């Protein structure tokens, strides 16, 4: 399929390698501050790549990261990118009570806005952890001043997923838009097409095909995501992990940056708030 003129939404989940949910059982949260932090360097590499490709993105950033690396947050905003929330400490929404979730949202939003001087409108739950068991999370997001969420992935997965959820933006609550990560519809089911591990592990042509199909067949912009640690093949290896976890986390780390560069050239990219008309008044 030839390229389209649609602008797609490029998103980055700003967390470090030791904060990934799949590694949580092997890494004590109390050890985070003592571990070599690589997120700052990796995000700077992404900012340079985006500038070279004239691409803009939304950075769903942990409050924990913003608190320790405030200049990084300012650099993101100075580059013309949108700053959004990934919560404070990468806790799954589904593992919190409504009160704990509200506290986490307000803490992260407050830090991000204080550091950047910009309003934070968007949120993405760690591990796409808003689903069938916690629809109340949308109410809390609305109460805490968020205008949109990108926390639902309408696929079947062993860690997350709402395969019956709408594939395209919808009103989760009046005043709150949910923007699901992109899928393509084939053989009566939703197939992942919005990045993450699928982009890194599968051949690049599959991601390109899926995104072009959404642009041309569905006539809709896609929303794509990845993490800074996915361009870092030299990150420390976490001992004691299963073969499955090692495969998911470490395979093709040395290829992802080149794939991203290619992706930025094959499609047009912008911020979530601009692509979906959600900018602050």
């Amino acid at each position: 399929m030839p390229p389209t003129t649609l602008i797609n939404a490029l998103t980055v989940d700003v967390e470090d390698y030791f904060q990934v949910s799949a590694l949580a059982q092997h890494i004590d949260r109390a050890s985070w501050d003592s571990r070599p932090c690589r997120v700052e360097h990796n995000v700077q590499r992404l900012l340079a790549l985006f500038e070279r490709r004239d691409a803009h993105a939304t950075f769903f950033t942990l409050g924990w990261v913003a608190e320790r690396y405030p200049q990084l947050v300012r650099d993101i905003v100075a580059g013309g990118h949108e700053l959004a929330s990934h919560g404070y400490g990468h806790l799954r929404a589904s593992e919190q009570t409504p009160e704990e979730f509200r506290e986490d949202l307000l803490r992260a939003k407050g830090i991000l806005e204080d550091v950047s001087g910009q309003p934070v409108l968007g949120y993405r739950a760690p591990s796409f952890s808003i689903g069938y068991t916690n629809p109340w999370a949308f109410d809390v997001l609305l109460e805490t001043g968020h205008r949109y969420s990108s926390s639902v992935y309408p696929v079947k997965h062993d860690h997350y997923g709402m395969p019956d959820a709408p594939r395209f933006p919808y009103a989760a609550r009046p005043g709150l838009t949910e923007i699901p990560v992109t899928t393509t519809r084939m053989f009566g089911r939703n197939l992942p097409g919005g990045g993450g591990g699928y982009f890194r592990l599968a051949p690049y042509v599959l991601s390109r095909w899926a995104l072009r199909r959404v642009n041309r067949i569905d006539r809709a912009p896609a929303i794509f995501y990845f993490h800074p640690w996915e361009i870092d093949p030299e990150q420390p290896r976490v001992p004691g992990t299963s073969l499955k976890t090692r495969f998911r986390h470490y395979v093709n780390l040395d290829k992802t940056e080149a794939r991203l560069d290619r992706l930025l050239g094959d499609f047009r990219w912008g911020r979530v708030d601009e692509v979906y008309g959600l900018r602050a008044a």
Side-chain angles (χ1 to χ4, degrees):
M1 297 179 187
T4 72
T5 58
L6 282 174
I7 299 176
N8 299 292
L10 182 64
T11 69
V12 186
D13 290 0
V14 182
E15 62 199 56
D16 218 328
Y17 68 96
F18 52 80
Q19 296 169 319
V20 176
S21 294
L23 300 176
Q25 62 180 318
H26 304 284
I27 298 176
D28 187 349
R29 285 177 172 271
S31 73
W32 282 8
D33 276 314
S34 65
R35 291 181 178 271
C37 202
R38 303 178 66 85
V39 68
E40 188 176 27
H41 174 68
N42 291 332
V43 170
Q44 291 293 355
R45 288 168 59 190
L46 293 173
L47 290 174
L49 174 61
F50 294 171
E51 182 177 15
R52 181 165 60 82
R53 283 295 193 175
D54 193 26
H56 291 96
T58 293
F59 287 74
F60 290 99
T61 304
L62 289 180
W64 188 96
V65 172
E67 201 170 49
R68 287 156 179 80
Y69 301 98
Q71 187 57 49
L72 182 63
V73 171
R74 298 186 189 108
D75 289 345
I76 289 170
V77 173
H81 306 288
E82 181 190 12
L83 185 68
S85 173
H86 201 32
Y88 177 80
H90 210 257
L91 289 170
R92 295 185 188 218
S94 55
E95 295 176 349
Q96 301 179 73
T97 66
E99 293 74 22
E100 291 168 339
F101 185 56
R102 181 179 291 104
E103 182 180 347
D104 183 80
L105 290 176
L106 290 173
R107 186 180 185 186
K109 195 172 192 289
I111 292 169
L112 293 167
E113 291 181 340
D114 287 347
V115 169
S116 69
Q118 300 290 318
V120 169
L121 306 180
Y123 170 78
R124 174 171 287 155
S127 301
F128 303 106
S129 52
I130 296 180
Y132 300 119
T133 64
N134 60 340
W136 50 260
F138 291 125
D139 299 306
V140 181
L141 281 166
L142 190 61
E143 292 166 10
T144 51
H146 296 82
R147 286 191 59 191
Y148 76 85
S149 162
S150 181
S151 302
V152 170
Y153 206 161
V155 295
K156 288 186 177 180
H157 190 280
D158 56 348
H159 292 307
Y160 55 76
M162 289 181 67
D164 298 329
R167 293 177 53 226
F168 297 105
Y170 62 96
R173 297 291 185 272
L176 181 74
T177 301
E178 172 61 35
I179 308 172
V181 174
T182 288
T183 58
T184 187
R185 187 76 177 170
M186 291 284 288
F187 312 117
R189 61 181 296 182
N190 297 337
L191 303 179
Y198 301 103
F199 176 72
R200 181 165 44 84
L201 298 174
Y204 172 76
V205 293
L206 292 181
S207 290
R208 184 180 63 187
W209 169 83
L211 294 173
R212 284 182 175 174
R213 181 178 173 83
V214 169
N215 285 170
R216 294 191 61 86
I217 303 300
D218 296 304
R219 298 175 183 259
I223 179 167
F224 182 92
Y225 84 101
F226 65 98
H227 308 85
W229 57 262
E230 291 186 279
I231 64 165
D232 185 8
E234 298 179 3
Q235 64 187 264
R237 270 32 180 187
V238 177
T241 56
S242 67
L243 179 62
K244 181 179 180 180
T245 296
R246 291 196 300 274
F247 176 80
R248 283 181 169 179
H249 190 85
Y250 298 119
V251 168
N252 288 340
L253 292 176
D254 59 335
K255 297 180 174 64
T256 307
E257 188 167 7
R259 289 185 179 183
L260 280 171
D261 190 27
R262 188 175 176 185
L263 186 80
L264 297 180
D266 283 344
F267 298 89
R268 300 177 66 198
W269 297 100
R271 304 158 36 137
V272 170
D273 59 348
E274 294 178 343
V275 170
Y276 294 102
L278 297 166
R279 295 204 70 165

